[in-house]
Amino acid sequence: MRHVPRALAAAVIPLAVIASSAADANATPSISSAPSAAFVLNTETGKFNGATETGPQERDGLSASVPSLQVLSRPGTGAVLAGMTLASSPTKQERAAWAANSHFVDLSWPDLGGAYEVYKNDRLVAATAGHSMRDTHVQPGSVIDYQITGKTGTWGLTVTVPKGSDTETLEATAAQAETQAKKYTKTAVVWRSFIRQKWAYVPGKYKKLSGCTYASGYKYAGDNRGFSSKVDGPSYRAKLKGVVYWTKSSYDLFPSTGKSRVYSTKTGKLVATKHASAKKIDFRTKTRFDGKTRAVHADIEATDPFCKYGGIGAFYDARLARNGDFYVSGKYKQAPDNEMYIYGYTSGTKHSTKTVHRSKMGSIKCLYKGACELGTLSNNGGY
């Protein structure tokens, strides 16, 4: 069972790998209208049925450490480039993969029953009762984002369509991706929760409900800022930075909370200052080190040091790949403002930046009340 922070325990958490993008306004295609795929992932093994890896097993020594893209062949169907990031998930229900040449893309996902809708770059393109399909409307050399949604799961796959279908071109495409991937030495994930306003207030009528020491007649200093993609960023109420390394098995976590300050609304003078506890802010890996991908889990839970109830609550699960692929899913309380970023480090302080999540506060009551509607955290793609 996934650990759910106490701040989120009152909510029902539905199972989802990645939330779907908004559907296109066009009508839904009929069930089973999607062409059949030749390359179909076996979610029990995490490999394509009947396919074998072709070409050199070592591409300048990179394949052993970054095999997120493979060149596969299957009798009678030729060779394809295959994306295996999600296929290596430790949970069978999360496994999905793609196989492509310059003429088609084959998509596979777990057979969880029911019907599935397939979105291509946010547009609904197919519906099927199966767990695989082929897309023949592809542009050689393009990158396509697919989402597959069902009643019990949703998956996101970012596909690189090769410029050619010959083995040499497929190998070159895979080698180019691996060379780029080897530049990453570590990946950092940062979550921050902050109060956008300059001041926050707890109405006197909620003093007992919130357990706040200071309510009517007092104001709490906010962070007085908007979103920021800086690694160390500006002021915050709660922050978690988790780091995985691609050349060693260790990982790091840096949990912290901002200082809470209370002022008199009448005199404007500082009344009290205190830090919230960071003991319930945690980041950890879920899979062994292999230099290729790493599954991680994080919990962010913090209560105002002057209040007994309410506060910040979030959790997420993520799979990070050295080549820059990722997916994230989770839940968060919709107060205060929240932001999440992934940074791929190539050397020293040089890094790429991916904005994973940004949400503005729904109601400040979530900060001082025990119950709060949860939002869904989801994203996938590349950093």
Side-chain angles (χ1 to χ4, degrees):
M1 290 290 291
R2 171 192 291 164
H3 167 66
V4 180
R6 285 181 295 177
L8 302 178
V12 178
I13 310 299
L15 174 64
V17 180
I18 305 170
S20 67
S21 301
D24 185 82
N26 294 339
T28 303
S30 60
I31 299 300
S32 299
S33 64
S36 299
F39 289 84
V40 179
L41 183 71
N42 183 328
T43 54
E44 292 291 330
T45 64
K47 297 181 180 180
F48 283 96
N49 289 328
T52 57
E53 186 168 5
T54 187
Q57 299 298 305
E58 295 288 337
R59 304 181 194 93
D60 298 326
L62 297 175
S63 291
S65 61
V66 195
S68 54
L69 290 181
Q70 297 178 2
V71 177
L72 305 177
S73 63
R74 194 169 180 272
T77 59
V80 293
L81 184 66
M84 309 296 290
T85 300
L86 290 184
S88 61
S89 172
T91 304
K92 289 189 294 184
Q93 290 81 359
E94 296 179 355
R95 294 173 185 168
W98 58 268
N101 62 20
S102 59
H103 304 295
F104 66 81
V105 172
D106 280 354
L107 305 173
S108 300
W109 56 91
D111 185 7
L112 303 181
Y116 303 92
E117 294 180 339
V118 181
Y119 295 84
K120 178 180 181 179
N121 294 331
D122 293 337
R123 178 173 179 172
L124 182 61
V125 294
T128 177
H131 59 101
S132 66
M133 67 157 280
R134 170 168 291 188
D135 179 11
T136 57
H137 302 285
V138 298
Q139 179 68 36
S142 64
V143 176
I144 306 172
D145 288 325
Y146 292 95
Q147 281 89 31
I148 304 101
T149 67
K151 290 183 178 181
T152 55
T154 308
W155 303 266
L157 297 169
T158 300
V159 177
T160 299
V161 181
K163 293 181 178 180
S165 299
D166 58 286
T167 302
E168 184 178 356
T169 299
L170 299 177
E171 285 287 344
T173 304
Q176 183 179 9
E178 291 177 354
T179 299
Q180 176 64 32
K182 194 178 180 183
K183 295 179 180 179
Y184 287 122
T185 58
K186 64 180 180 180
T187 300
V189 186
V190 173
W191 174 279
R192 284 189 294 264
S193 297
F194 63 96
I195 296 177
R196 178 178 296 267
Q197 297 87 341
K198 186 176 182 179
W199 301 105
Y201 302 85
V202 178
K205 63 180 180 180
Y206 290 115
K207 181 174 182 179
K208 185 176 181 180
L209 180 65
S210 63
C212 294
T213 303
Y214 302 97
S216 180
Y218 299 94
K219 57 183 179 180
Y220 294 76
D223 297 294
N224 194 29
R225 72 169 180 91
F227 296 120
S228 172
S229 60
K230 293 182 179 179
V231 177
D232 294 321
S235 176
Y236 53 84
R237 299 299 87 210
K239 175 184 175 181
L240 173 60
K241 178 181 178 181
V243 183
V244 297
Y245 300 91
W246 299 116
T247 57
K248 57 183 180 180
S249 62
S250 60
Y251 67 93
D252 286 320
L253 69 154
F254 304 93
S256 59
T257 58
K259 188 177 292 185
S260 296
R261 296 181 175 87
V262 183
Y263 293 80
S264 168
T265 54
K266 184 176 181 179
T267 65
K269 291 184 178 180
L270 180 65
V271 175
T273 302
K274 189 183 291 187
H275 265 285
S277 172
K279 291 182 178 180
K280 296 178 182 178
I281 301 178
D282 183 50
F283 177 92
R284 58 186 179 274
T285 59
K286 298 168 58 181
T287 53
R288 293 182 179 181
F289 171 78
D290 62 7
K292 311 167 187 176
T293 67
R294 207 80 191 262
V296 301
H297 175 83
D299 294 310
I300 303 98
E301 185 178 353
T303 302
D304 188 304
F306 299 110
C307 301
K308 292 182 180 180
Y309 312 113
I312 294 164
F315 77 84
Y316 66 80
D317 290 287
R319 178 164 284 274
L320 309 171
R322 189 177 182 181
N323 73 337
D325 288 345
F326 78 93
Y327 69 83
V328 176
S329 65
K331 292 286 181 177
Y332 65 95
K333 290 180 67 173
Q334 297 188 69
D337 287 26
N338 301 291
E339 57 186 7
M340 181 178 183
Y341 306 95
I342 294 179
Y343 307 95
Y345 284 84
T346 54
S347 62
T349 59
K350 188 176 181 180
H351 60 78
S352 63
T353 301
K354 172 67 177 182
T355 300
V356 178
H357 174 80
R358 285 177 170 178
S359 58
K360 290 186 178 181
M361 178 165 53
S363 172
I364 199 169
K365 292 180 181 179
C366 287
L367 285 176
Y368 52 78
K369 292 176 64 177
C372 181
E373 184 178 356
L374 302 184
T376 298
L377 167 66
S378 60
N379 206 334
N380 72 96
Y383 57 82

